[in-house]
Amino acid sequence: MVVETVGRALTKAPRVVIRGIGDLLGRRSAPVGSPPGALAIDDSLPPPRISVMARTAEGVIERETDRIDELRDAVGASQLSWIDVQGLGDRAALEGLAEAFGIHPLALADVVHTSQRPKVETYPDHDLLVVRVLALNEAGEMEVEQLSVVVGASYVITFQERYGNILDPVRRRFRAQLGPLEEHGGDFLAYAIVDTVVDGYFPLLEAFADHLEDLEEKVMARPRPAILTEVQKTKRTLIMLRRSVWPLREALNIMLRERSPRFTEAIHPYLRDTYDHCVQVHEVTESYREVASELTNTYMSMVANRTNDVMKVLTIMASVFIPLTFIAGVYGMNFEHMPELHERWGYPAVIGVMISVGLGMLLFFWKRGWLGDGRDDP
Amino acid sequence: MVVETVGRALTKAPRVVIRGIGDLLGRRSAPVGSPPGALAIDDSLPPPRISVMARTAEGVIERETDRIDELRDAVGASQLSWIDVQGLGDRAALEGLAEAFGIHPLALADVVHTSQRPKVETYPDHDLLVVRVLALNEAGEMEVEQLSVVVGASYVITFQERYGNILDPVRRRFRAQLGPLEEHGGDFLAYAIVDTVVDGYFPLLEAFADHLEDLEEKVMARPRPAILTEVQKTKRTLIMLRRSVWPLREALNIMLRERSPRFTEAIHPYLRDTYDHCVQVHEVTESYREVASELTNTYMSMVANRTNDVMKVLTIMASVFIPLTFIAGVYGMNFEHMPELHERWGYPAVIGVMISVGLGMLLFFWKRGWLGDGRDDP
Amino acid sequence: MVVETVGRALTKAPRVVIRGIGDLLGRRSAPVGSPPGALAIDDSLPPPRISVMARTAEGVIERETDRIDELRDAVGASQLSWIDVQGLGDRAALEGLAEAFGIHPLALADVVHTSQRPKVETYPDHDLLVVRVLALNEAGEMEVEQLSVVVGASYVITFQERYGNILDPVRRRFRAQLGPLEEHGGDFLAYAIVDTVVDGYFPLLEAFADHLEDLEEKVMARPRPAILTEVQKTKRTLIMLRRSVWPLREALNIMLRERSPRFTEAIHPYLRDTYDHCVQVHEVTESYREVASELTNTYMSMVANRTNDVMKVLTIMASVFIPLTFIAGVYGMNFEHMPELHERWGYPAVIGVMISVGLGMLLFFWKRGWLGDGRDDP
Amino acid sequence: MVVETVGRALTKAPRVVIRGIGDLLGRRSAPVGSPPGALAIDDSLPPPRISVMARTAEGVIERETDRIDELRDAVGASQLSWIDVQGLGDRAALEGLAEAFGIHPLALADVVHTSQRPKVETYPDHDLLVVRVLALNEAGEMEVEQLSVVVGASYVITFQERYGNILDPVRRRFRAQLGPLEEHGGDFLAYAIVDTVVDGYFPLLEAFADHLEDLEEKVMARPRPAILTEVQKTKRTLIMLRRSVWPLREALNIMLRERSPRFTEAIHPYLRDTYDHCVQVHEVTESYREVASELTNTYMSMVANRTNDVMKVLTIMASVFIPLTFIAGVYGMNFEHMPELHERWGYPAVIGVMISVGLGMLLFFWKRGWLGDGRDDP
Amino acid sequence: MVVETVGRALTKAPRVVIRGIGDLLGRRSAPVGSPPGALAIDDSLPPPRISVMARTAEGVIERETDRIDELRDAVGASQLSWIDVQGLGDRAALEGLAEAFGIHPLALADVVHTSQRPKVETYPDHDLLVVRVLALNEAGEMEVEQLSVVVGASYVITFQERYGNILDPVRRRFRAQLGPLEEHGGDFLAYAIVDTVVDGYFPLLEAFADHLEDLEEKVMARPRPAILTEVQKTKRTLIMLRRSVWPLREALNIMLRERSPRFTEAIHPYLRDTYDHCVQVHEVTESYREVASELTNTYMSMVANRTNDVMKVLTIMASVFIPLTFIAGVYGMNFEHMPELHERWGYPAVIGVMISVGLGMLLFFWKRGWLGDGRDDP
């Protein structure tokens, strides 16, 4: 299961994938000037794999099918059905599904063009929730996927870009009719799905915390340009994360204020709960961005510190030896009449003067506190 | 077609034109103190070339004309007409057109004085939408043009500064009566035009991403003042871009809240879609500005790093040789009584001492980690 | 008592505990994908210790018990009861209590999962207030604990993570029926509890002020990387503090606007008073964060200053002695025809020239103001 | 005319006057503790020179007078009168005028104490508009003046601090009854005046653009402290400009929302137009402030670059010659037993070694890319 | 009188007192956990000195008394009474006064605990205005004092921490029944008091302007750490100032929107006037904070400049003499076979070479523009 994999990836190699500047933009499938609602299928995505879970009087029925009429029958015969579509790589299947359930062309376009901002939109016959699934893969890299949820009168349809098991926990709870999913309708199912996605942001934040602590240690120990690059890329990944959370927070806020007919009064405290989690994720993300900004300052300070250390070594060496070399130079002059040269005590006296001058310089630097080793002493 | 040119320009030379500070202001045509509504025609613009496309019971009719009465007849005989005016260089033609269709003097002034902020204004007989067309030309440079859209009861008039084919995709769809343009009125036509303009911002953002990644690489590889200048000019171009998008977002938001009589309920989800795209462009623009700001910091860090590297080389050279030179200086003194000078082992011993001191210094620097090559090692 | 301990800790060792980046996130107990309202008990917390204080016609009765029916009886027989639960480490006891008093499952989950943002939530039968208790422990370190207050019709239940006496002042006032607690209901008791928690933030702020002043002195006296690290960690602790205060301010504001049925008109000025204190704490926290940011700048400036001082010493030493060494070198050349070498006045003349050159250089530096000792002189 | 002078000043010497920190505050005439409405006349201002232009059935009548009753008669006999007061240096005249037209004491105080924020205030009998006239004088320096406009039922009174012709364009249009001034009332006259003032901000912005581009070039070419000072003073002048524009934008917004009885429906699109111009000026001002902030960063980068260049020269010189000097020193030692000294090939061999070492060092630096001239090469 | 003293202090020694980080918090008298409304008297404050001024039919009566019943009689017999309490050091007197005039316990607590944020609170029987008096004392230092104004039906009570004459101008106007104080009630008196306090902020701002200009000059002339410290402390004092003004602006805004029964319609334009002054003070304060922030940047730039100058001197000295010393070293070598040594022209030739090399180096530096004196030349 993905969630457990994330856990394992974290304990093994807490690392967040680093992204280039272009990734801040995301994919956009429809070419400029296409009519609205024109679908530009991304061929790299797998063909849809459709499954349905339906709560009927006899219990929960599960089936995997790609026949639209079968899906429609299943929905018709149940109290509440959950159609899960994984893979968006087939235009005909998606358009068939949309037609069968009366999904608005713009809603379908938002489902297919997978770099939407998270949002909630109310159409006459259904609501559309778009959220972004962020997860660490087995290599510990952050992966972004769009999850679209269409909430109709007696059905919920989820669309994922690729095959995946991110929704397995919800599936288990729906199968067992656990918690509020037992008695309530599609609004509670949609809530459970969105809540599971938002819960998945927290292990990510933990990975970021580890990554930033790791970077901080490296900056303090040995500031190198490569670390600076990594700090900035981490900052960009955090911007990505914020852009996944902030609009969702807004969207949930709108849902709480202007409730759609398909969302009952009873869901209110639950949505508020998910809203609170979004706010928390957003706040922590902002704090981490501040930390990443600080790291750039720390980097600069560390480099300045090291330059200062290098300077001190140079200054001490040069200041101690330059005067001594001068003295040696004086007595290396070839004047005929330099009385000191001919005295017995000349050489030892000059050596003595040199030692005094050298020690004097060292004393001067010691008083200035320059003779520490330039490292940090507590 | 422009759009394809943009694509080609991008694959060839992804480059965004760099602008001076003065361009942040833009042109302003009317002299200080002119009466409101006074038209100051920009003579550098070409004379208007007017074409009309009209949806009639018999199909879509297209005509190119410069006679106002012909235009009025075409509009009168059609369900929906689209008058496209390219070039704003002739006062009489524009005033004639404005009079024939009852365009408010202030609206006409906004059309003619082409550095307006994007906006939506509702006049009694028509609405005025002002948007800014941003496109990369064949040389890969960003060009800004104002596109004004007057939406009347049964007609839409578009005004462009120069001859151009930016609206060709909409023209094709209108000609073929594709999508929602088939049955709906001027509001959908206006929407299709604005949506096409906003869609055109995305290739621009991609060019910016490439440009910033290019600059980042250059800063990391070899920080030079010229790159810093380019970073700052890119930042200014991004400010330009933001100033084209942000007010449009506001304007669309106002349109969604306070709907004008000429905009039907059915256009609501479509405008919301364009609004979403504006928000996305704006968010990405802000992210890019942050990236550009970071680059200035990186530049400073890289220069500091290099100064540190230079310092290390100097310190190592000086610290190794200055003591050696001192020793040589000592034995170059001309004292008569320097016993070492007369010993057989004197010279080799001193050479030995020198080698020891030199190696000692190198060992000291190696322990400090200064003997790396000053470049980055992972 | 804790409060006094805080006072003592402050006078002895005004120090604020420093936190890592991961602490900005906080604990989250429920695993990803759990159903809402699922309780994930934190086993490290102690088992609940429950006490009840009830105001009856005969006076205030106090009892410690773990039998739910006893609690229910006590509440039933009193005008106003305060049930205090310390320790959240036993699922059965908490669920029993929640069932007995009709606490909403989501409210109970918020009580148990102790890293909620401060908030006020109105449920049909009760209100939930979540605040964060921040206190300095005996070692002078900041400790964070969640305090949840459930306000029902005739009872108030407080939940604390661990055993503690932070609420003792309120307990004394309730016992003595002091001030507005004498006549008013649960709203005033809840207010008194929250107000006590907010009052507890002020000694913390004083400790921060001392800590920052201490850091500032250290930065000015001797800038070392360790101090920079401490400054940044202090900044993070301030972010923690802000995240405890800001949402509480919002929550109180909401309480003032949309009053729940359990909060009477008379509580209005009291809540406004607590709101004012939150605003004040928040403003001071923001000011301290600005001060901490300034300290990073000061650090950089101090390092730059010191590098400048080091440079001056090197420059003075090198500039004075390098020309002298050159002169000595000239007269150390072995040319046969150097007339000066053979003159009696040669040696003293050269020494004179050397002294002149040396003094000239010193005069030059003195005029530039470089001969100060590099320290600060007023 | 001022406007043309501005144009000339710009083409000749595009320069914006630089202001000290104290100018950010502005003058305040009334001493602390004076009663509200107490007038503190600024004696340095010239005595009022009053003229009236009145639109009557017979045409526009113009007269210059200082007799209050004559003014009142002129206003009484006309459809719309414009009284222009230039110079605020005489208390009696101003109080007489205020009494004759029922101007509120606080409004008169705002007129006289000329460092008000731009604002719009509605009094029972009239409205007061306060705007700040910013203009470049003949020397190209920015001058600030307060223009107050009192809009009554059938009259408009303008107050200027000094004699000036900033309103001449409006005067000409009123005289000729051009544009909307022909038929409309005092609201349109007031609008024309404010619009002329706002139009006057644009040449100023152009001057700022030139000035900033000039500063940027200087910073890139040769960073000196004096340029930094100029950058910061420019920033302050931009703050001044923003403080003239931002409140006006707010005030116009208030006028658009809460219309006073003296402002008709027809003025709405016109005010919206001026509002748009204010927004544009404000946005450009903010962009320029960002540019000025960037310049400080550029300055720092340029200085760091130059220090780096200086370092490189020093390092190259020292690193090449220090080892050579050491070698020379070795063979300058006076040991008796140095076999090389007595060989024929000794001297040329050592010279050869020296040349090899020197070239080796240069090769090392050339490989590091340090042998460029330290300037920028594209 | 204080106001004049301020003026004198400014002309003599424009200096603003510098505060530590702890002062940002302010005093808090009540211990943690005290019941709301509990009074913690600050013993360091002087005992109350109470005076009353009453407007009666016979004129204005003034009396100094400490008997509560006398005060009550005076108020009962007058149209409007102003009770001025200076000194807050006596619990009994304050509680007696509060009881006599029905002051709410929380209001009294706000009066006594003197580090409230400025605010306006409406209680059933009276309003409470809290403002902060900022003044320069004779030594030119900023002093902060809380002034609380209780506005009842026919009386106004002012509470000051210490004896002082800040309200003397209002007292004179009340005594003389000048301006709107003649006919209006307690609202106008309260307004006059608050307005006087706000007017007192302006001389303070002037002092700040002088101080910042002084600091700027010092930074440019000779950047020393002590100046940096002073800049940061000034910034903190500005934060203090902002925290005195911003909440007052908010409070006045609330007063303008939700008028209390004791504030008449006629006071509206007057309050708006004071509100405008607050906005102006706030804006200027923010500008000054920006200026102070810039000064830190300037400091850094100046230090970087100076390091650059020092580097240049070192580089010039070293680069000129190091090659010369090398040449001297070559001819100081003791090889037997160095033909140049034995030539007559050897010595002068070498001296010539040395002069050429030295001049060549100087020419090289002159071309680089390094031979300026390192100071600024225009």
Side-chain angles (χ1 to χ4, degrees), chain A residues 173 191 202 213 216 220 276 279-280 283 290 298 301 305 311 315 322 326 334 336 340 368 376-377, chain C residues 21 28 33 36 115 117 119 224 226 229 232 236 289 299-300 311 331-333 341-342 347 373:
Chain A
R173 277 152 54 197
Y191 150 73
F202 284 89
E213 268 173 6
E216 189 174 42
M220 295 302 291
D276 275 355
V279 170
Q280 208 172 351
E283 279 182 2
E290 278 184 50
T298 312
S301 307
N305 256 321
M311 287 298 311
T315 304
I322 284 182
F326 163 68
N334 298 323
E336 276 175 15
E340 304 95 309
R368 292 217 151 189
D376 202 38
D377 42 341
Chain C
I21 296 165
R28 257 187 69 84
S115 52
R117 299 177 74 227
K119 60 180 168 184
R224 283 171 306 123
T229 316
Q232 286 173 6
R236 279 176 218 151
R289 282 183 65 212
Y299 182 90
M300 289 289 283
M311 287 297 312
Y331 291 104
M333 293 194 295
L341 293 180
H342 312 293
Y347 179 51
D373 67 349

Side-chain angles (χ1 to χ4, degrees), chain D residues 37 109 112 197 237:
Chain D
V112 169
V197 168
T237 318

Side-chain angles (χ1 to χ4, degrees), chain E residues 292-344:
Chain E
S293 294
E294 273 168 27
L295 280 181
T296 311
N297 279 332
T298 312
Y299 182 90
M300 289 290 282
S301 307
M302 290 308 299
V303 171
N305 256 320
R306 296 196 150 226
T307 302
N308 194 28
D309 288 353
V310 172
M311 287 298 311
K312 275 185 198 163
V313 168
L314 176 60
T315 304
I316 291 166
M317 292 305 294
S319 301
V320 167
F321 283 105
I322 283 181
L324 304 187
T325 305
F326 164 67
I327 295 171
V330 165
Y331 293 104
M333 292 194 296
N334 298 323
F335 287 102
E336 276 176 18
H337 305 281
M338 289 177 71
E340 303 97 307
L341 293 180
H342 311 295
E343 307 291 342
R344 273 232 153 255

Side-chain angles (χ1 to χ4, degrees), chain A residues 320 323-324 326-328 331 345-361, chain B residues 326 335:
Chain A
V320 167
L324 305 186
F326 163 68
I327 295 170
Y331 292 105
W345 48 260
Y347 179 49
V350 161
I351 293 293
V353 166
M354 282 172 173
I355 289 173
S356 311
V357 167
L359 290 180
M361 291 307 300
Chain B
F326 164 67
F335 285 103

